[in-house]
Amino acid sequence: MVFTKFEKRIASAMPQIDTNVLYRKGFVDAPVPKDINLADEIIRLKKEKNAVLLAHYYQEDAIQDLADFLGDSLYLAKAAATVDADVIVFAGVHFMAETAKIINPTKKVLLPDLNAGCSLADSCPPNDFAAFRAQHPNAIVVTYINCSAEIKALSDIVCTSSNAVKIIESIPKDQPIIFAPDKNLGRYLIKETGRDMILWDGSCIVHEAFSFDKIVTLAQQHPDAKFIAHPESESQVLDIAHYIGSTSGLLNFVQQDNAQTFIVATEAGILHEMKKRAPQKTFIPAPVSDDTCACSECAFMKLNTLEKLYLCLVHELPEIELDAALIKAAKSPIDRMLELS
Ligand code: 13P
Ligand code: SF4
Protein backbone atom coordinates (compact mmCIF):
# COMPACT_ATOMS: atom_id res chain seq x y z
CA MET A 1 0.00 0.00 0.00
CA VAL A 2 1.30 3.47 -0.87
CA PHE A 3 0.64 6.28 1.59
CA THR A 4 0.45 9.90 0.49
CA LYS A 5 2.93 12.41 1.93
CA PHE A 6 0.10 13.74 4.13
CA GLU A 7 -0.65 10.34 5.61
CA LYS A 8 3.05 9.85 6.36
CA ARG A 9 3.18 13.26 8.01
CA ILE A 10 0.23 12.45 10.24
CA ALA A 11 1.72 9.12 11.20
CA SER A 12 5.02 10.74 12.20
CA ALA A 13 3.40 13.73 13.94
CA MET A 14 0.89 11.64 15.86
CA PRO A 15 2.24 8.14 16.36
CA GLN A 16 -0.88 7.08 18.27
CA ILE A 17 -2.83 7.15 15.01
CA ASP A 18 -2.38 3.98 13.00
CA THR A 19 -3.08 5.02 9.44
CA ASN A 20 -3.39 1.36 8.46
CA VAL A 21 -6.48 0.76 10.54
CA LEU A 22 -9.02 2.13 8.10
CA TYR A 23 -7.39 0.47 5.18
CA ARG A 24 -7.61 -2.88 6.93
CA LYS A 25 -11.32 -2.25 7.36
CA GLY A 26 -11.60 -2.92 3.68
CA PHE A 27 -13.70 -0.42 1.88
CA VAL A 28 -10.93 2.15 1.39
CA ASP A 29 -9.07 -0.56 -0.49
CA ALA A 30 -12.01 -1.12 -2.81
CA PRO A 31 -10.80 -0.36 -6.30
CA VAL A 32 -11.80 2.85 -8.00
CA PRO A 33 -12.79 1.85 -11.54
CA LYS A 34 -10.37 3.07 -14.16
CA ASP A 35 -11.59 5.33 -16.97
CA ILE A 36 -14.29 7.04 -14.91
CA ASN A 37 -14.51 10.75 -14.43
CA LEU A 38 -14.51 11.01 -10.64
CA ALA A 39 -16.12 14.45 -10.53
CA ASP A 40 -18.97 13.36 -12.86
CA GLU A 41 -19.48 10.16 -10.85
CA ILE A 42 -19.58 12.06 -7.56
CA ILE A 43 -22.21 14.43 -8.97
CA ARG A 44 -24.23 11.46 -10.26
CA LEU A 45 -24.00 9.57 -6.95
CA LYS A 46 -25.00 12.62 -4.92
CA LYS A 47 -28.19 12.84 -6.97
CA GLU A 48 -28.86 9.08 -6.91
CA LYS A 49 -28.43 8.86 -3.13
CA ASN A 50 -30.08 12.19 -2.29
CA ALA A 51 -26.83 13.32 -0.70
CA VAL A 52 -25.35 16.78 -0.22
CA LEU A 53 -21.66 17.57 -0.02
CA LEU A 54 -20.54 20.01 2.68
CA ALA A 55 -16.90 21.08 2.28
CA HIS A 56 -14.55 23.28 4.29
CA TYR A 57 -12.23 25.81 2.64
CA TYR A 58 -9.22 23.70 3.68
CA GLN A 59 -10.22 20.81 1.40
CA GLU A 60 -8.35 20.17 -1.84
CA ASP A 61 -9.47 22.41 -4.71
CA ALA A 62 -11.32 19.69 -6.66
CA ILE A 63 -13.45 18.79 -3.61
CA GLN A 64 -14.27 22.45 -2.92
CA ASP A 65 -15.44 22.77 -6.53
CA LEU A 66 -17.94 19.91 -6.09
CA ALA A 67 -19.45 21.14 -2.83
CA ASP A 68 -23.13 22.00 -2.45
CA PHE A 69 -22.20 24.02 0.63
CA LEU A 70 -18.66 25.45 0.90
CA GLY A 71 -17.77 27.46 3.96
CA ASP A 72 -16.24 27.94 7.38
CA SER A 73 -17.12 25.93 10.48
CA LEU A 74 -20.07 28.10 11.46
CA TYR A 75 -21.60 28.20 7.98
CA LEU A 76 -21.24 24.43 7.64
CA ALA A 77 -22.80 23.80 11.07
CA LYS A 78 -25.75 26.02 10.09
CA ALA A 79 -26.03 24.24 6.73
CA ALA A 80 -25.99 20.85 8.45
CA ALA A 81 -28.88 21.96 10.66
CA THR A 82 -31.13 22.75 7.70
CA VAL A 83 -30.15 20.04 5.21
CA ASP A 84 -33.14 18.20 3.80
CA ALA A 85 -31.29 15.42 1.94
CA ASP A 86 -30.98 11.87 3.33
CA VAL A 87 -27.20 11.85 3.38
CA ILE A 88 -24.65 14.47 4.41
CA VAL A 89 -21.15 13.83 3.07
CA PHE A 90 -18.78 15.99 5.10
CA ALA A 91 -15.52 16.87 3.37
CA GLY A 92 -13.76 18.24 6.41
CA VAL A 93 -12.37 16.76 9.60
CA HIS A 94 -13.94 14.43 12.13
CA PHE A 95 -15.20 17.02 14.63
CA MET A 96 -17.02 18.82 11.80
CA ALA A 97 -18.81 15.69 10.59
CA GLU A 98 -19.55 14.75 14.20
CA THR A 99 -21.07 18.21 14.77
CA ALA A 100 -23.29 17.72 11.70
CA LYS A 101 -24.50 14.39 13.14
CA ILE A 102 -25.20 15.99 16.54
CA ILE A 103 -27.15 18.84 14.95
CA ASN A 104 -29.10 16.66 12.52
CA PRO A 105 -29.03 13.12 14.01
CA THR A 106 -31.61 11.53 11.71
CA LYS A 107 -29.34 12.04 8.69
CA LYS A 108 -26.69 9.59 7.57
CA VAL A 109 -23.42 11.53 7.95
CA LEU A 110 -20.38 10.30 6.04
CA LEU A 111 -16.73 11.35 6.28
CA PRO A 112 -14.53 10.20 3.36
CA ASP A 113 -11.62 9.29 5.68
CA LEU A 114 -12.39 8.61 9.34
CA ASN A 115 -8.75 9.31 10.17
CA ALA A 116 -9.22 12.97 9.27
CA GLY A 117 -8.81 14.19 12.85
CA CYS A 118 -7.61 17.52 14.23
CA SER A 119 -4.54 18.21 16.36
CA LEU A 120 -6.47 20.81 18.31
CA ALA A 121 -9.35 18.46 19.11
CA ASP A 122 -6.82 15.77 20.07
CA SER A 123 -5.09 18.17 22.47
CA CYS A 124 -8.12 18.01 24.79
CA PRO A 125 -8.78 14.48 26.13
CA PRO A 126 -12.21 14.27 27.86
CA ASN A 127 -10.99 12.77 31.16
CA ASP A 128 -8.32 15.43 31.62
CA PHE A 129 -10.75 18.14 30.66
CA ALA A 130 -13.39 16.89 33.11
CA ALA A 131 -10.79 17.09 35.90
CA PHE A 132 -9.76 20.61 34.78
CA ARG A 133 -13.38 21.73 34.76
CA ALA A 134 -13.91 20.29 38.25
CA GLN A 135 -11.12 22.56 39.54
CA HIS A 136 -13.18 25.61 38.48
CA PRO A 137 -16.74 24.69 39.50
CA ASN A 138 -18.07 28.26 39.17
CA ALA A 139 -16.81 28.80 35.64
CA ILE A 140 -18.99 28.67 32.55
CA VAL A 141 -17.37 26.46 29.90
CA VAL A 142 -17.02 27.88 26.39
CA THR A 143 -15.49 25.51 23.89
CA TYR A 144 -14.25 26.12 20.39
CA ILE A 145 -16.09 23.86 17.94
CA ASN A 146 -12.73 22.16 17.14
CA CYS A 147 -13.21 19.55 19.88
CA SER A 148 -14.75 16.11 20.27
CA ALA A 149 -18.42 15.40 21.02
CA GLU A 150 -17.35 14.33 24.53
CA ILE A 151 -15.81 17.76 25.16
CA LYS A 152 -18.88 19.50 23.76
CA ALA A 153 -20.95 17.44 26.18
CA LEU A 154 -18.86 18.92 29.02
CA SER A 155 -19.49 22.48 27.78
CA ASP A 156 -22.05 25.22 28.30
CA ILE A 157 -21.64 27.02 24.97
CA VAL A 158 -19.77 26.17 21.79
CA CYS A 159 -18.28 28.85 19.52
CA THR A 160 -16.38 29.11 16.25
CA SER A 161 -13.77 31.67 15.27
CA SER A 162 -16.56 33.61 13.46
CA ASN A 163 -18.70 34.17 16.52
CA ALA A 164 -16.33 33.71 19.48
CA VAL A 165 -16.17 37.42 20.43
CA LYS A 166 -19.97 37.67 20.35
CA ILE A 167 -20.38 34.51 22.45
CA ILE A 168 -17.89 35.67 25.09
CA GLU A 169 -19.49 39.13 25.22
CA SER A 170 -22.91 37.53 25.80
CA ILE A 171 -21.69 36.15 29.15
CA PRO A 172 -22.22 38.34 32.26
CA LYS A 173 -19.03 40.22 33.18
CA ASP A 174 -18.75 38.78 36.69
CA GLN A 175 -19.01 35.18 35.44
CA PRO A 176 -15.67 33.25 35.36
CA ILE A 177 -15.07 31.55 32.00
CA ILE A 178 -13.10 28.46 31.01
CA PHE A 179 -12.12 28.58 27.34
CA ALA A 180 -10.92 25.42 25.57
CA PRO A 181 -9.18 23.90 23.73
CA ASP A 182 -7.25 26.56 21.75
CA LYS A 183 -4.96 28.72 23.90
CA ASN A 184 -4.08 30.98 20.92
CA LEU A 185 -7.69 31.79 20.12
CA GLY A 186 -8.27 32.12 23.88
CA ARG A 187 -5.47 34.69 24.26
CA TYR A 188 -6.80 36.60 21.26
CA LEU A 189 -10.29 36.64 22.83
CA ILE A 190 -8.92 37.87 26.15
CA LYS A 191 -7.35 40.81 24.29
CA GLU A 192 -10.46 41.54 22.22
CA THR A 193 -13.04 41.28 24.97
CA GLY A 194 -11.03 42.27 28.05
CA ARG A 195 -12.33 39.14 29.80
CA ASP A 196 -9.96 37.19 32.04
CA MET A 197 -10.52 33.58 30.96
CA ILE A 198 -9.06 30.31 32.25
CA LEU A 199 -7.42 28.70 29.21
CA TRP A 200 -6.90 25.07 28.28
CA ASP A 201 -3.41 24.50 26.84
CA GLY A 202 -4.26 23.21 23.34
CA SER A 203 -3.22 24.34 19.87
CA CYS A 204 -3.32 23.60 16.15
CA ILE A 205 -0.13 22.26 14.53
CA VAL A 206 -0.85 24.07 11.27
CA HIS A 207 -1.32 27.53 12.74
CA GLU A 208 1.59 27.12 15.14
CA ALA A 209 3.91 26.28 12.23
CA PHE A 210 4.01 29.85 10.88
CA SER A 211 7.36 31.58 11.34
CA PHE A 212 7.21 35.08 12.82
CA ASP A 213 10.71 35.96 11.55
CA LYS A 214 10.03 34.77 7.99
CA ILE A 215 6.69 36.60 7.89
CA VAL A 216 8.45 39.83 8.92
CA THR A 217 11.08 39.33 6.18
CA LEU A 218 8.40 38.54 3.58
CA ALA A 219 6.37 41.59 4.60
CA GLN A 220 9.50 43.77 4.14
CA GLN A 221 9.89 42.35 0.62
CA HIS A 222 6.22 43.20 -0.13
CA PRO A 223 5.71 46.57 1.58
CA ASP A 224 2.28 47.08 -0.01
CA ALA A 225 0.98 43.68 1.06
CA LYS A 226 -1.42 43.24 3.96
CA PHE A 227 -0.73 40.43 6.39
CA ILE A 228 -3.88 38.55 7.49
CA ALA A 229 -4.14 35.69 9.97
CA HIS A 230 -6.52 33.16 11.51
CA PRO A 231 -6.84 33.59 15.31
CA GLU A 232 -5.49 30.07 15.90
CA SER A 233 -2.05 31.56 15.09
CA GLU A 234 0.39 32.42 17.89
CA SER A 235 0.13 35.82 19.66
CA GLN A 236 3.32 37.29 18.19
CA VAL A 237 2.06 36.48 14.67
CA LEU A 238 -1.37 37.97 15.43
CA ASP A 239 0.27 41.10 16.89
CA ILE A 240 1.63 42.07 13.45
CA ALA A 241 -1.52 41.21 11.45
CA HIS A 242 -3.48 43.93 9.62
CA TYR A 243 -6.57 41.76 9.97
CA ILE A 244 -7.46 38.71 12.10
CA GLY A 245 -10.46 36.57 11.28
CA SER A 246 -12.06 33.21 10.64
CA THR A 247 -11.71 31.68 7.20
CA SER A 248 -14.88 33.45 6.02
CA GLY A 249 -13.69 36.68 7.67
CA LEU A 250 -10.38 36.45 5.80
CA LEU A 251 -12.23 35.85 2.52
CA ASN A 252 -14.48 38.87 3.02
CA PHE A 253 -11.50 41.02 3.94
CA VAL A 254 -9.48 40.25 0.80
CA GLN A 255 -12.53 41.04 -1.35
CA GLN A 256 -13.30 44.33 0.34
CA ASP A 257 -9.87 45.73 1.17
CA ASN A 258 -8.04 47.98 -1.31
CA ALA A 259 -4.71 46.12 -1.04
CA GLN A 260 -3.69 44.06 -4.08
CA THR A 261 -1.39 41.61 -2.28
CA PHE A 262 -2.04 39.59 0.88
CA ILE A 263 0.21 37.36 2.96
CA VAL A 264 -2.14 34.73 4.36
CA ALA A 265 -1.54 32.87 7.64
CA THR A 266 -4.03 30.06 7.63
CA GLU A 267 -4.33 26.67 5.94
CA ALA A 268 -3.27 27.05 2.30
CA GLY A 269 -6.49 25.52 0.89
CA ILE A 270 -8.24 28.85 1.41
CA LEU A 271 -6.20 30.40 -1.38
CA HIS A 272 -8.35 28.54 -3.92
CA GLU A 273 -11.51 30.45 -2.94
CA MET A 274 -9.57 33.71 -2.46
CA LYS A 275 -8.30 33.51 -6.05
CA LYS A 276 -11.85 32.82 -7.26
CA ARG A 277 -13.35 35.75 -5.37
CA ALA A 278 -10.55 38.23 -6.14
CA PRO A 279 -8.80 36.94 -9.30
CA GLN A 280 -6.94 40.20 -9.90
CA LYS A 281 -5.22 40.08 -6.48
CA THR A 282 -2.10 38.21 -5.33
CA PHE A 283 -2.10 35.81 -2.38
CA ILE A 284 1.08 34.57 -0.74
CA PRO A 285 0.90 31.75 1.82
CA ALA A 286 2.65 32.78 5.05
CA PRO A 287 5.99 30.95 5.44
CA VAL A 288 6.44 28.19 8.01
CA SER A 289 9.44 27.49 10.25
CA ASP A 290 10.29 24.11 8.74
CA ASP A 291 11.28 24.47 5.08
CA THR A 292 11.11 20.71 4.51
CA CYS A 293 7.37 20.28 5.08
CA ALA A 294 4.12 21.52 3.57
CA CYS A 295 3.15 22.55 7.09
CA SER A 296 0.69 25.25 6.03
CA GLU A 297 -1.48 22.43 4.70
CA CYS A 298 -3.57 20.59 7.26
CA ALA A 299 -2.55 16.96 6.79
CA PHE A 300 -5.83 15.85 8.37
CA MET A 301 -7.98 17.89 6.00
CA LYS A 302 -5.98 16.63 3.05
CA LEU A 303 -6.66 12.97 3.92
CA ASN A 304 -9.93 13.39 2.03
CA THR A 305 -9.38 12.85 -1.69
CA LEU A 306 -11.67 12.63 -4.72
CA GLU A 307 -11.13 8.84 -4.76
CA LYS A 308 -12.18 8.49 -1.11
CA LEU A 309 -15.13 10.82 -1.68
CA TYR A 310 -16.25 8.63 -4.58
CA LEU A 311 -15.87 5.40 -2.56
CA CYS A 312 -17.63 6.97 0.39
CA LEU A 313 -20.66 7.74 -1.79
CA VAL A 314 -20.64 4.30 -3.41
CA HIS A 315 -20.44 2.37 -0.11
CA GLU A 316 -22.10 4.97 2.15
CA LEU A 317 -19.15 4.52 4.49
CA PRO A 318 -17.46 5.50 6.74
CA GLU A 319 -20.46 6.71 8.70
CA ILE A 320 -20.37 8.86 11.83
CA GLU A 321 -22.15 6.95 14.58
CA LEU A 322 -22.80 8.46 17.98
CA ASP A 323 -24.54 7.31 21.12
CA ALA A 324 -27.96 8.98 21.58
CA ALA A 325 -27.09 10.20 25.10
CA LEU A 326 -23.87 11.78 23.82
CA ILE A 327 -25.77 13.49 21.00
CA LYS A 328 -28.25 14.92 23.51
CA ALA A 329 -25.53 16.22 25.84
CA ALA A 330 -23.38 17.66 23.03
CA LYS A 331 -26.32 19.27 21.20
CA SER A 332 -27.45 21.79 23.81
CA PRO A 333 -24.18 23.85 23.85
CA ILE A 334 -24.24 23.86 20.02
CA ASP A 335 -27.90 24.96 20.04
CA ARG A 336 -26.97 27.80 22.41
CA MET A 337 -24.31 28.90 19.94
CA LEU A 338 -26.71 28.76 16.99
CA GLU A 339 -29.29 30.80 18.93
CA LEU A 340 -26.66 33.48 19.62
CA SER A 341 -25.25 33.50 16.05
P1 13P B 1 -12.99 28.31 10.59
O1 13P B 1 -14.03 28.25 11.62
O2 13P B 1 -12.42 29.68 10.40
O3 13P B 1 -13.45 27.72 9.32
O4 13P B 1 -11.73 27.45 11.08
C1 13P B 1 -11.73 26.07 11.07
C2 13P B 1 -10.42 25.49 11.40
O5 13P B 1 -10.26 24.32 11.54
C3 13P B 1 -9.31 26.39 11.56
O6 13P B 1 -8.16 25.64 11.70
FE1 SF4 C 1 -7.52 21.10 13.25
FE2 SF4 C 1 -5.60 22.84 12.70
FE3 SF4 C 1 -6.41 21.18 10.82
FE4 SF4 C 1 -8.02 23.20 11.63
S1 SF4 C 1 -6.06 23.38 10.57
S2 SF4 C 1 -8.62 21.07 11.30
S3 SF4 C 1 -7.49 23.27 13.81
S4 SF4 C 1 -5.39 20.60 12.74
Side-chain angles (χ1 to χ4, degrees):
M1 179 161 312
V2 180
F3 289 123
T4 66
K5 64 179 179 173
F6 300 112
E7 287 162 342
K8 284 183 192 154
R9 224 188 105 212
I10 282 184
S12 62
M14 311 201 72
Q16 75 273 27
I17 294 179
D18 179 354
T19 45
N20 278 308
V21 169
L22 268 180
Y23 291 85
R24 283 196 214 107
K25 282 189 179 167
F27 83 93
V28 181
D29 264 342
V32 176
K34 290 195 173 77
D35 307 326
I36 60 164
N37 180 311
L38 280 172
D40 288 349
E41 280 302 299
I42 289 165
I43 293 166
R44 184 186 64 75
L45 284 162
K46 278 196 298 164
K47 206 167 169 193
E48 183 185 302
K49 308 226 168 186
N50 192 20
V52 288
L53 176 61
L54 274 56
H56 190 267
Y57 295 124
Y58 295 167
Q59 290 295 287
E60 67 174 58
D61 300 355
I63 294 180
Q64 292 190 41
D65 291 343
L66 287 169
D68 300 294
F69 298 88
L70 172 67
D72 71 353
S73 309
L74 181 61
Y75 172 81
L76 295 173
K78 285 180 174 171
T82 54
V83 153
D84 206 22
D86 298 320
V87 181
I88 297 174
V89 184
F90 212 116
V93 289
H94 191 273
F95 77 80
M96 294 179 174
E98 199 175 56
T99 303
K101 182 71 185 173
I102 294 165
I103 295 174
N104 210 337
T106 61
K107 305 295 175 194
K108 182 179 264 193
V109 179
L110 307 174
L111 178 65
D113 190 328
L114 266 191
N115 245 5
C118 167
S119 62
L120 185 47
D122 290 345
S123 68
C124 195
N127 286 344
D128 295 349
F129 187 66
F132 180 75
R133 192 182 79 149
Q135 286 165 16
H136 308 282
N138 298 326
I140 189 166
V141 179
V142 181
T143 49
Y144 188 34
I145 199 164
N146 298 34
C147 64
S148 66
E150 289 78 6
I151 297 295
K152 290 183 175 81
L154 292 167
S155 311
D156 296 299
I157 315 182
V158 166
C159 70
T160 77
S161 49
S162 287
N163 60 18
V165 169
K166 194 171 173 187
I167 301 277
I168 299 298
E169 284 177 343
S170 75
I171 298 168
K173 287 207 161 39
D174 56 349
Q175 170 69 61
I177 302 171
I178 289 176
F179 185 81
D182 189 12
K183 64 179 176 197
N184 293 315
L185 176 60
R187 284 181 191 139
Y188 167 72
L189 291 170
I190 289 171
K191 260 192 184 170
E192 284 297 296
T193 64
R195 298 299 295 268
D196 184 19
M197 303 193 295
I198 306 153
L199 300 183
W200 179 262
D201 186 13
S203 60
C204 156
I205 47 170
V206 178
H207 289 86
E208 288 213 324
F210 295 117
S211 161
F212 172 79
D213 291 341
K214 289 184 190 171
I215 292 168
V216 170
T217 307
L218 189 64
Q220 283 162 353
Q221 289 161 359
H222 298 273
D224 295 331
K226 286 216 168 131
F227 172 57
I228 60 175
H230 194 282
E232 286 175 24
S233 309
E234 289 176 320
S235 302
Q236 61 168 355
V237 168
L238 295 180
D239 285 345
I240 56 167
H242 293 101
Y243 175 77
I244 299 164
S246 67
T247 47
S248 53
L250 297 174
L251 277 162
N252 291 337
F253 184 78
V254 301
Q255 278 180 277
Q256 284 158 17
D257 193 76
N258 288 334
Q260 291 303 305
T261 306
F262 298 88
I263 299 169
V264 184
T266 194
E267 211 274 352
I270 192 133
L271 269 61
H272 182 58
E273 183 66 12
M274 283 182 173
K275 286 174 194 162
K276 276 189 173 175
R277 293 207 199 170
Q280 73 288 6
K281 298 191 178 182
T282 304
F283 303 103
I284 309 172
V288 293
S289 305
D290 180 353
D291 292 326
T292 65
C293 77
C295 299
S296 64
E297 291 187 354
C298 173
F300 300 101
M301 285 276 182
K302 263 49 180 195
L303 280 178
N304 296 323
T305 60
L306 274 191
E307 284 79 7
K308 289 179 196 170
L309 181 53
Y310 165 79
L311 291 172
C312 161
L313 274 159
V314 170
H315 299 283
E316 299 187 27
L317 281 170
E319 184 177 355
I320 301 290
E321 283 171 295
L322 290 175
D323 180 79
L326 181 57
I327 289 183
K328 192 165 179 261
K331 192 170 183 296
S332 70
I334 300 173
D335 286 344
R336 280 186 80 180
M337 169 187 83
L338 293 174
E339 280 158 23
L340 285 164
S341 300

